[in-house]
């Protein structure tokens, strides 16, 4: 059986690493990496709800670690303690952490939390971004899916469902901003790389057309 502290520690590392990257990007580039100026009303609500979702996930992981009786009272079924299932969840947690950390490094100074008024940074299409347009969101959702697998309760399911909804909202705001800033370069990138994962061959590549 994997250690019961894995969900809490991994989620804490994701939060700490992301905070460190925010500080480093802001310090090195001189541009605030944390901003929700574009479509401020919608992003403002999404930003507050994202904080709530992250704190709720952290609290649920702490309960699963330190108060298993309370976790059971929240509706966690006995089959969730099946060791192979816990190992699958633990592996997913570690994979999610690795994806988030690597993707944030690969974004370099272009990494942002939210979309500030001045728009996104330079387009990044290498590394993990050659296989997913949103690997950081994929990693975050994978971590929350791992939490649901580890501790399947109504609350952990609600956190994942809420995060998925918020991700759909935020991704579309970011895509709009990227299209405005990078034009055909982003359209071509979006045609080649899936929103979540996967690459697509372009039979019309080199014909002078870009994705509609």
């Amino acid at each position: 059986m994997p250690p019961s502290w894995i969900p809490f520690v991994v989620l804490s590392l994701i939060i700490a690493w992301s905070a460190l990257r925010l500080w480093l990007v802001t310090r090195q580039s001189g541009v605030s990496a944390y901003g929700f100026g574009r479509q401020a009303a919608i992003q403002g609500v999404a930003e507050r709800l994202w904080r709530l979702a992250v704190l709720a996930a952290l609290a649920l992981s702490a309960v699963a670690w330190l108060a298993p009786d309370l976790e059971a009272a929240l509706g966690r079924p006995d089959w969730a303690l099946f060791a192979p299932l816990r190992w699958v969840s633990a592996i997913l947690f570690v994979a999610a952490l690795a994806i988030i950390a690597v993707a944030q490094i690969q974004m370099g100074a272009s990494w942002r939390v939210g979309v500030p008024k001045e728009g996104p940074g330079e387009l990044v299409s290498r590394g993990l971004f050659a296989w997913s347009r949103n690997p950081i969101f994929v990693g975050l959702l994978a971590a929350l899916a791992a939490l649901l697998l580890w501790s399947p309760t109504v609350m952990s399911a609600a956190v994942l469902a809420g995060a998925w909804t918020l991700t759909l909202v935020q991704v579309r705001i970011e895509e709009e901003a990227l299209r405005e800033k990078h034009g055909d370069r982003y359209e071509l990138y979006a045609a080649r790389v899936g929103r979540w994962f996967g690459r697509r061959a372009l039979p019309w590549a080199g014909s002078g057309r870009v994705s509609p």
Side-chain angles (χ1 to χ4, degrees):
M1 184 76 74
S4 58
W5 46 258
I6 285 179
F8 182 82
V9 169
V10 169
L11 290 173
S12 297
L13 286 173
I14 290 172
I15 294 169
W17 173 256
S18 298
L20 176 61
R21 287 296 305 165
L22 276 173
W23 178 75
L24 288 173
V25 170
T26 300
R27 182 170 180 239
Q28 293 171 359
S29 67
V31 176
S32 176
Y34 189 93
F36 295 84
R38 184 182 182 86
Q39 296 192 19
I42 298 175
Q43 280 205 105
V45 172
E47 186 255 352
R48 289 189 290 273
L49 291 176
W50 258 116
R51 287 187 184 183
L52 181 61
V54 170
L55 289 175
L58 196 62
L60 290 172
S61 68
V63 168
W65 175 24
L66 300 172
D69 291 340
L70 177 56
E71 181 196 16
L74 291 173
R76 185 260 297 147
D78 291 339
W79 54 259
L81 300 177
F82 188 48
L85 186 64
R86 283 287 173 94
W87 278 113
V88 170
S89 176
I91 292 170
L92 186 56
F93 266 119
V94 174
L97 174 60
I99 290 170
I100 292 169
V102 171
Q104 289 180 0
I105 291 173
Q106 290 176 341
M107 281 205 78
S110 291
W111 185 53
R112 302 285 187 275
V113 173
V115 182
K117 288 182 179 180
E118 58 271 20
E122 290 302 310
L123 182 63
V124 177
S125 58
R126 66 185 184 279
L128 292 178
F129 292 87
W131 298 93
S132 169
R133 302 204 309 266
N134 298 282
I136 296 174
F137 279 126
V138 170
L140 288 170
L141 292 171
L144 296 179
L147 178 62
L148 177 60
L149 194 61
W150 184 282
S151 180
T153 66
V154 171
M155 294 186 68
S156 57
V159 169
L160 177 59
W164 170 247
T165 302
L166 293 171
T167 298
L168 292 177
V169 172
Q170 188 62 33
V171 160
R172 280 160 175 77
I173 293 173
E174 293 181 6
E175 288 177 346
E176 178 186 89
L178 286 163
R179 282 190 173 93
E180 286 187 9
K181 180 167 184 176
H182 300 294
D184 287 351
R185 284 184 62 215
Y186 180 75
E187 293 289 359
L188 183 59
Y189 172 59
R192 285 178 171 162
V193 179
R195 174 178 285 154
W196 307 117
F197 51 82
R199 291 177 64 90
R200 294 185 286 268
L202 302 181
W204 41 264
S207 67
R209 293 192 292 121
V210 294
S211 174

